Amino acid sequence: MDMDTLFISNVMLEDQGVYTCVASTSLDSVTAKTRLIVLDVPDPAEDLQLSEHQNRSVRLSWKAGASHNSPVNESIIEFEESRWEPGRWQELARAPGNTTTTLLSLAPYTNYQFRVVSVNAVGRSQPSKPSLRYATPPAAPDKNPENIRVEASEPNEMVMKWEPLKPMERNGPGLEYKVSWRQQGVETEWNEETVKKHSLTLRNTPTFVPYEIKVQAINNLGAGPEPNITTGYSGEDIPDAAPSGVSVDIVNSTLVKVFWLGIPRDKVRGHLRGYKVSWWKTKSMLDGKRHHPEKHFLTFVGDRNYGMIPGLEPFSEFRLTVLAYNSKGDGPESASVVFETPEGVPEQPRFLKILNFDKDSVTLSWGLPKRANGHITGYILQYQIINETHEIGPLMDISVANHTTLNWRLMDLSPSTKYKFYVKACTAKGCGKPVTEEGLTVAQGSKGIGKNSEAVNPTQKFHPIEALEPGTEYTVRLVTKNWVDNNSIFEDVIETRGRAYAGIYDGISTQGWFIGLMCAIALLTLMLLTICFVRRNKGGKYSVKEKEDLHPDPEAQSIKDEIFGEYSDSDEKPLKGSLRSINGDIKATESADSLVDYGEGEHGMFNEDGSFIGAYAGSKEKGSVEGNGSSTATFPLHA
């Protein structure tokens, strides 16, 4: 091997022994030895023997199997009986350490068979072969049924139930149960009945009366021990009395505390589960409007005489009743009690709108609260600066004392400033939560646009908005016709272009020197255009080229050079607005007319005003130009 490790997989007991490692070279060798010990579960026990036979015990002995280098910690004795659950092995006892014998406690009327399982640190051995069978004789029961109870039943009826004995607890054949009962607190003899099942129903009993009950197990060999006495009640019925003395204490506008006197025990006719309080609104104290009774209820578990009712509507009239209930149902309701909740703070106004924004003022409009919860005494209007800085301005308050006022104009605001507005409604009890809105005042010197509205056809997909100020922020809102209901379909804030450059334009455009410069540039441009037009149409019936060659005009040439630039043979530049072909020809684009020569030859044709009216053919060497129309002309490229 060229490694320093030997790996043995699937180790078995046969792998145990002495291992020698030899390291060799051409000169010598050395060896090392070690002993490998394999641990395994014990071998099964052998030769199981029964002795000391008794009615309820027997001694079991066995021979331990090999422990395989790990001592046995304990032995588990299992049994199987052939009468009730044949083939099912169950644990009966445990013997500690290397013990190989134990005395087993047995139950009567059972046919036993035993086996042993040995356990060491590695695990459990395979079970041993079973012993011979051993049957114990029958006997009277050793115990009585447990968990005796009376379950829910009909009135004037009582159903008694209990847990039956297990098969190994019967101790003999012919198992039955003797049930005894009598009414508690009444001097009378026990009533008895023997049954084979594990329940008994008694009829024609008084409603919810306590009974003393006992159940005893018996078989063919005798009865079990004297049973314990259990108390149970006959069938329940709903309570037949209502709570009395119901009263209400007002805690605040939405919370009250209810008190009542509980019903007598003999009127509960069952196990008292608790009380239920029902209430419903009868009318609003604000408008006197009657309401359809919608009942609410709250359950209070246990034997108690008070409860808290939350979540009531302020400034309203209510009625309230109390009843007791048990497992059979609800008893009769008490007489109703009328109470009124006081005024509370109103809910927030339905909406807050900004109707008009100017540089130093704003008009606000708001809606009534959804629930006033009392008489509205007025409104509190608040506002503060919330410009995009880390500092927020102080909160300013304005009291609107008239409860019918639903709009207000705020004055003395700062221009180009963002504000947040708050409006909350108030009653005599205080003010509710505010509704809020934000807006930006108009810049100094700008005209406040205010609120403009335009009707839009419902079938339109777009609508232009015109006559807006440049560099101004607008709120665009698309609403239904009754916009005061806050039914907004679309809302966005936009800013028109031009604000960043308005100051520059306003500063320059109003200067006199700037106006004069613009007028001079316009006049010079007009003069140049006029000269170009005159030179183009000048010449009559003779060739323009011949006139220019015969009567050169230095001034006109200077003007031409100024407009079109210098032109020389060495540059061989085409006229502005034309294209050069590969072979040097020029192709006309926008127009073939120019102040340069039209060409040479006898075929040139012009009318009286000097315009070109015919085809002008030149030599092939000079190149040809084909126009968009039917006329053609040649343009020689020389100065």
Side-chain angles (χ1 to χ4, degrees), residues 70 243 339 585 633:
S70 179
F339 67 94
D585 297 338

Side-chain angles (χ1 to χ4, degrees), residues 431-505:
C431 300
K433 294 181 179 180
V435 59
T436 64
E437 183 62 280
E438 298 178 6
L440 184 68
T441 53
V442 180
Q444 183 71 34
S446 299
K447 182 180 179 181
I449 302 301
K451 174 180 175 291
N452 294 319
S453 62
E454 299 179 19
V456 179
N457 193 311
T459 60
Q460 288 183 235
K461 294 185 178 180
F462 66 92
H463 181 75
I465 302 176
E466 300 178 351
L468 301 181
E469 293 289 338
T472 305
E473 194 173 80
Y474 291 89
T475 299
V476 181
R477 186 181 292 121
L478 179 63
V479 297
T480 56
K481 188 174 182 180
N482 55 339
W483 67 274
V484 293
D485 290 338
N486 207 21
N487 297 325
S488 179
I489 300 174
F490 168 83
E491 182 173 334
D492 197 5
V493 177
I494 64 170
E495 183 176 344
T496 54
R497 297 177 181 175
R499 164 180 274 187
Y501 308 100
I504 298 175
Y505 291 155

Side-chain angles (χ1 to χ4, degrees), residues 107-155:
Y109 198 53
T110 305
N111 191 16
Y112 285 100
Q113 194 175 30
F114 307 99
R115 70 182 186 184
V116 178
V117 177
S118 301
V119 182
N120 66 4
V122 181
R124 298 164 62 118
S125 71
Q126 292 294 319
S128 67
K129 293 182 180 180
S131 68
L132 298 176
R133 287 197 175 272
Y134 178 67
T136 55
D142 294 327
K143 60 183 298 186
N144 291 312
E146 298 177 347
N147 192 22
I148 300 170
R149 62 198 182 276
V150 177
E151 294 188 349
S153 60
E154 297 297 325

